[in-house]
Each structure stands twice: as structure tokens, then as C-alpha cells.
Amino acid sequence: MSTPPSSSSAPIPTLASPGMRDAADDSDSPPSHMSEDSDGSGAGPGGDTWTPDLRGTNGGNGGNGGRWAPPDQVLENVLESVLEFLTAARDRNAASLVCRSWYAAEAQTRRELFIGNCYAVSPARAVQRFAGLRAVVLKGKPRFADFSLVPNGWGARVSPWVDALGPAYPRLQRICLKRMTVSDDELALIPRSFPLFRELSLVCCDGFTTRGLAVIAEGCRHLRVLDLTEDYFHEETEVVDWISKFPECNTSLESLVFDCVSVPFNFEALEALVARSPALRRLRVNDHVSIEQLRRLMARAPHLTHLGTGSFRSEPGSSGASSVSDLATSFAAAAKSLVCLSGFLDVNAEYLPAIYPVCANLTSLNFSFASLTSEELIPVINHCVNLRVFWVLDTVGDEGLRAVAETCSDLRELRVFPLDATEDSEGSVSDVGLQAISEGCRKLESILYFCQRMTNVAVIAMSENCPDLVVFRLCIMGRHRPDRVTGEPMDEGFGAIVKNCKKLTRLSVSGLLTDKAFAYIGKYGKLIKTLSVAFAGNSDMSLQHVFEGCTKLQKLEVRDSPFGDKGLLSGMNYFYNMRFFWMNSCRLTVKGCGDVAQQMPNLVVEVMKDHPDDEGEVDTVDKLYLYRSLAGPRTDAPEFVNIL
Amino acid sequence: MEAAVGYVSGDADSLLMATELRLGLPGTDDQKPKTTFSPPATPRGKKRTADAFEDSAAAEEAHKEADDVEAAPPVAKAQVVGWPPVRSYRKSCFQAAAATKSKANKKAEDATSSNKTTPSAAAPAATSANGGSFVKVSMDGAPYLRKIDMRMYKGYRELREALEAMFVCFSGADTAASNPSEYAITYEDKDGDLMLVGDVPFDMFSGTCKKLRIIKRSEATGLGSK
């Protein structure tokens, strides 16, 4: 798909818009609808199925006066009907490059548009090319925005997109946004522009309040999915009772996720809503829901497959507090359907045994907001023999992880988050836990592990025991921390990961690392698409290794590493193949970044300074964000962003 | 996190050096202790990288850095923006929970002796904020610190034995004779002074001890130890 790097001139982007190249990358959040696979053929209410009509509607080129379509239109009709079956964006992009008629046919039939960088292409251009979109997926800010590295007001507003999509796609059904700023007024445009609207998914977005949610609830009469995942929700002066705004009749709701909307709401309205939503299968509530209330909800929705339990704590001072066995009865009733459990936002561990009845059927369990000890976790996890996805806090310690390893032999994804996310925190898990997991969970595909102590031996063990790893993200929280036993850098551990895990597409490194680690990554990491680097490497050679070796690299984010202009320039031949490159707190200069901008016209090079008033050191660059784009420099950049 | 102003609590060595008459700015002729791997320097020196190995040395340095003319955050380990990479959404959930929990913990503290490390509160905690009995123990030359529960020990002998057991793996590396008497156990009290362990009754000691430091005897004797 990517143009081969040429040494003489900059490669010319192809017809396929760059932002649409990717297949689904794994999201950083609990399973949401961020994948590019839409609903199969796009069939649905409103007569979406398309049947080939071989008879031309207008007069053809001679023949029977229009009774039979001319040959090229036949081909195009057939082609369109065949292309309906292609759903993956990558396949569609490939098809569109074959020739002009394939390009046109594909453009007519694409139902879902995935844009990995909202600034890579202008809304007008997307609208012009694709005639029949039903779903749009947009990603905005660079991922490091999650860690406060992108100043407020940087951009990624959804307004230009909503303004363009509205008139162009009146039949639009689904919008998924990640890391974008969405205001209440922009949300209000949705029911107005799209009468058939079905699914709204906002992940890590900001800018909206309950007022916007109320407009969605009230206006989108066919709403099936409202998923709000890890959005930044600000305390409002006045909270709107948005739950009451859903239609009075039976709704088509299948999924309602609002655990991040952490304001009080009208519980009775929710209970009534759940009762009149027979299709509801996914419900994740916020921490203002007590156990007693949870039981009421579960009684109303007996077929739930995904449940977010809210606080998992009894209402303070309530006279009718539920007992553990009462709660267990509720879960027993749900045992047949429930496969995914999350929430536990303020858990009272005494109630945990209530979930035993569902544990055996669970494939996904999220304890990452529950501060549990190993003693509290082990009895629960011992029941979870079919677990595939497990998110947990490091409070469970290495012993807790050992129990996971012993029971969950089918585990595919593990995330261990730190309770105390500071550099000099205790750190309750270590290489011991990692080694145990690697020995017990051989089918592991994805791991995110925060710790304070790690050894190369444990990482190497994981590389050997878990060859199916696709995502390996290890965060040793203390900066530049070496192997805790040998005192050596962590080069060999990460080297083993890239060498042995042949399916690896995403890697985050940490700990003390020299250029050697990056030499390994470049040599063996041939499938790596996303690489995150922090406080690592000795010299620009590290970057050079990565650019030259990782031929499939799409996203590179680097912070606080001793890389300068030389390292940046070593990537020149590769930037057009990538979605973006982020670099902050390294040793870049404005001149170096300017050189890149000058030589690569289809690249947008944004630089930012931490302290704009800083008189000294005018030439240094604090933050660099460069990305390929067909839209040219954006016009909405704030003043702290300098586009070179 | 230690308080920024930590001039007083350097070890005996640095106190003597601070009062030495000499030309030049205070702190400018200090030598950085040798490390096996030097962490890469950040551009402007404004953000200090944490020296993960010589923890105590880094603490020493920080106190001296406070005298530096160059503007630098005078804390032992400057917190860096966005590190570790945990979403603020997640962090804020625990700050709220920790605030309510630490209140509950202070009540239940005496009733139950739990092994749990209490979640640290969002506010910058002085070392004694969490239940009061866990103190950090650092040792010169060790790459990381330990924590012990002062309530577990009834006397100095028990404490010393426990510390020896905890840190035995480190002492063997440098010297041929890993002799316990080669090290002195010191502690930092409420006033921030570095004191030798053993002078006061154990109960009084455990009440006033904020931090423990195991240092080489050679450094403890002051002059002539360079």
C-alpha cells in the first residue's frame, strides 16, 4: 500500500487518501466500535441492499434502445455488487487503486469511512469522493494528548466534519469519534442532519455536557448505541436530566455506556428506560449507581451481555441494604448471557462473591478501577476459567497475577494499571508477575503492564512463552530504570520481544535503553505499526534504526529522548508512509524541522513551544507533530502552534 | 515527595562542606558519583532526569542543586508531565477514591493491621501521610529503596537484622567482605536531621523516624573520607 521509499525525490501520494489506509488499530479503551468492519453488506432498514440491475435506465450505445446496459456499465454494476462484500478498509483501498473504474465503483459502495487523522484530508474531499457513506470514524488529537502533552485548544474540533457530512449523507447511521472536541451544539446537529441515525460512539472526547446528551437522546429516535468511553467530562453548573429525554415508547437501544459521565442522574428514568428497551445488551453505568439500584436494573434487563456495575457499593445509610446473597441471586439470573463485566468504580470487596455465578462464563473482566488485594482477587479469579480479557490494578500484586496465570489459560489480553501512577511509587507488581503470566497464559496477544521493577529474564521469558503477542506495552515507571537484578539496560528483553513475537504490531518501550534496543527493533520489528518511546536511546542512531528497519511503521511517538535533527532527517524517506510522527522534549531545532517541511510538501509539520514567552533558546522545538496530509496546513491552528 | 527546601538534611559530609570557606559558588565543585550508565541529559537542564541508581546520591545532589544559580526545580526527582503515561481520567478516579479512603483508613488504622499499602492521597504527601508506620529505607549503592513497617519491630536488634536481610544482596557486590559493621544505619527525624540509630529508646525512635538510610561507615566519619 505504501509507496516505496525513493532516494531521489519525495514519493507522490496515491489517489487513496492517506488517512484511510489503516485497518483497525487496537483501541486504548475497552472494546468499542472503532474497528473498520461495518455491518457486513450494509443492509438495514430503508432498503439498503442493492441488487444488480443489468438493464440500463437510459439509452445505451445503440443496441436495443436502452433495454440492455452497455458493456462497461455492466462491468461496473457487477463490480459494485462484488465490492459490497469488501468491508475492510485496507481491502477497499487496494481495490480503489486498480484503475479508474474500480476507483469509482469502490467510491460508490464504500459504507464506512475510517479517517485516522482528521487533518489528513479535508471534509470536502471525503464528501466529494464517497457517495454512499453510512458510517464515519474519525480520530483527532495525537495520543499523547491523553497525558497532558498537547495544550488545550490544539484542535481536532468536529465542527467542519459535521458541517460537511450533514448535507452530504442524510442517511448516515453511525459516527465514531476518538480524541476530538465535540460541543453540545455540534451534537445537536446530529439528529437534525441524520434522521436515520443509529450509533454514536465518543472515545476520549471532550467539550460536551449533559445538555448535548439530552439532544441526542431526544432527537435520535432510532438510536441503538450511545457509547461514551473515557471522555473528559467536566463538572457542570447545571446537570440536565438527559436520561428522561429518550423516547417514551419502546426504544431500539442495544448499548448504553456512560460510566465516564460522572454526574448524578435520574435513576428512575434509567430504570424505566431499561424496562422499555428490549434489545438492550450492553449497559455500563456510572459510579452514582449503588448495588441496590444495580439489582433493579439487572432485573429489568435479563439479557445483558455486557454490564458495567457502577460503584458496586451499598447505598450509604440505606435501610434496605442488599446482602451479598441477594446480589448473587441477581447475578445468577444473568449468568446465561453475561460475558463482559466492568465497573466496580468504588468497590466494596465484601460484595465480590456475588459475581461468582457469572464468572465461569465471563470472557472479559475489568477490575481496573477497583483497588483489590490479592486476597480479594484470588477467590474471584479462580472461577474465571474462560477469561480472555482482564484489566486490573497492580494492587493485586505478583501473587494476584500468579493466580490469574494459574486459572486463565485462555487469556488473550491483560492490562495491569498502577494505583499510584507516580515515578517513585511502591509498585506492587514486578518481573515476578510478568513471568508468571507468561507461563500460564500462553495464548496472550496483548499486554499492557505498569511496574517499577523488571528484569530482562522475565521479558525474554514472555517473548518465548507467548509467541502470539501482537501488542506489547511495558511501562517501567521509574525513568531509565535498568534490569533490577543485573543492572543492565533492558535492551535484551525488548530485543527478544521483537525477535520472537513475529506478529507484533504495537510496541511501547521503557526502562534504561541504549541504541542497541532500537537496532533490534529495526532489525526484527518488520510488522510494527505503532511504536512509543520515552526516555530511551543514546543517539540519533536509534531513530535511524527504526526508520530504516520498521517498514510497516505508521505511528511513532517519542518523548524525552536524546534525538535531534539528524534523527529526524533520517526519517525523511519514510514520513509519507506513516500516519504521524510525534516528538516532544527531545533536541530538535526549528531549522531541522523546517528543513523537513521544505522538502516534503505533503507533510504538515507543526511545532509547539512549552513557554512561548521564553526569550532564550528560540531555536529549540519542544513539541513536533508531523503528519501526511492532502489538505495542506490547517487553518484552525491556535497561536501556540507554528506550522512550518 | 520531599519538601523542596532540604538544605539541612544532607549528611554530615555535606554539612561540613557547606560551611567550608572557598571561592566559587556553593555546590559547584561537587563531583557527581560515578554511575555505570549515564542517563541521557535533557536539553535545557530544566527537566532533570532521575538518577535511578544512586538514589541517596541523587538526594544529596538535589540539596546541593538547590544552591545552584541555574534555575532548576530543587526537588530530588522532578515530576515530569504525563509520566507515567496513565490517562488523567484514570488518575482522577483514584484521587477521589483515595481521599475518601484515607479518611476511612485513619479510623481503621488501629483496629486492623493490614498488609495493604494504603493508596497515596492526591495531595503531595509528606512521608508520614499514609497511616504513619511505613518508612522508606535507602541504602547507598542500591538501585531502589525498600519500605518497612516500624510496628513490626520491638527493638533495635530486630530492626537491624531485618535490614541486613533486606539489603544483603547489595552489599556483596562492591566489597569482598560484606561485613554488616561496615554500614551504619541512620535516620531522618521530624526536624529533618540525620541521626544515628540507637541513641534513644526504641519507642521514641520509631515515633520520630521518618526515613532510614544505610550508609557506609567511611562516609559517616566526616573529614578525610573522600
Side-chain angles (χ1 to χ4, degrees), chain A residues 28 146 230 477 479 559 587, chain B residues 41 78 80-81 83 87 90:
Chain A
D28 296 326
D146 292 347
E230 295 202 29
M477 292 192 280
R479 289 170 282 168
R559 65 168 293 176
R587 294 176 182 170
Chain B
V80 174
V81 173
W83 185 263
R87 288 207 184 115
R90 213 167 255 290

Side-chain angles (χ1 to χ4, degrees), chain A residues 230-347:
Chain A
E230 295 202 29
D231 301 303
Y232 301 95
F233 210 77
H234 301 292
E235 292 278 319
E236 305 157 57
T237 47
E238 199 184 307
V239 176
V240 173
D241 180 6
W242 58 285
I243 302 268
S244 305
K245 302 286 189 290
F246 280 95
E248 294 278 319
C249 55
N250 274 7
T251 75
S252 356
L253 269 183
E254 295 169 15
S255 174
L256 181 60
V257 172
F258 64 97
D259 42 0
C260 64
V261 183
S262 188
V263 290
F265 64 93
N266 183 341
F267 178 77
E268 277 68 32
L270 177 66
E271 192 178 3
L273 173 66
V274 170
R276 65 178 190 278
S277 303
L280 193 68
R281 297 291 174 268
R282 294 194 296 269
L283 178 65
R284 294 195 175 122
V285 298
N286 69 19
D287 55 346
H288 287 86
V289 172
S290 67
I291 285 200
E292 291 75 24
Q293 291 173 320
L294 177 67
R295 293 190 61 212
R296 285 160 64 179
L297 292 173
M298 291 174 76
R300 301 287 192 174
H303 303 296
L304 287 179
T305 56
H306 296 60
L307 177 63
T309 63
S311 69
F312 215 71
R313 172 171 288 278
S314 199
E315 215 154 304
S318 76
S319 48
S322 288
S323 68
V324 180
S325 53
D326 289 340
L327 185 60
T329 315
S330 300
F331 274 97
K336 278 208 197 92
S337 54
L338 210 55
V339 291
C340 174
L341 202 52
S342 61
F344 307 99
L345 301 171
D346 189 15
V347 66

Side-chain angles (χ1 to χ4, degrees), chain B residues 104-178:
Chain B
N105 271 344
K106 282 193 162 36
K107 269 191 193 171
E109 200 189 345
D110 301 314
T112 56
S113 62
S114 62
N115 272 338
K116 271 203 269 195
T117 51
T118 54
S120 49
T127 45
S128 63
N130 304 333
S133 59
F134 279 89
V135 298
K136 284 189 190 174
V137 187
S138 66
M139 174 163 152
D140 288 358
Y144 55 90
L145 285 69
R146 301 297 302 268
K147 250 195 179 159
I148 57 167
D149 186 350
M150 293 299 287
R151 294 175 303 193
M152 304 286 286
Y153 310 104
K154 298 187 195 61
Y156 284 121
R157 187 199 303 228
E158 265 181 67
L159 176 66
R160 184 174 268 274
E161 278 166 15
L163 290 176
E164 268 169 42
M166 223 184 257
F167 285 93
V168 66
C169 46
F170 302 117
S171 54
D174 332 329
T175 53
S178 55

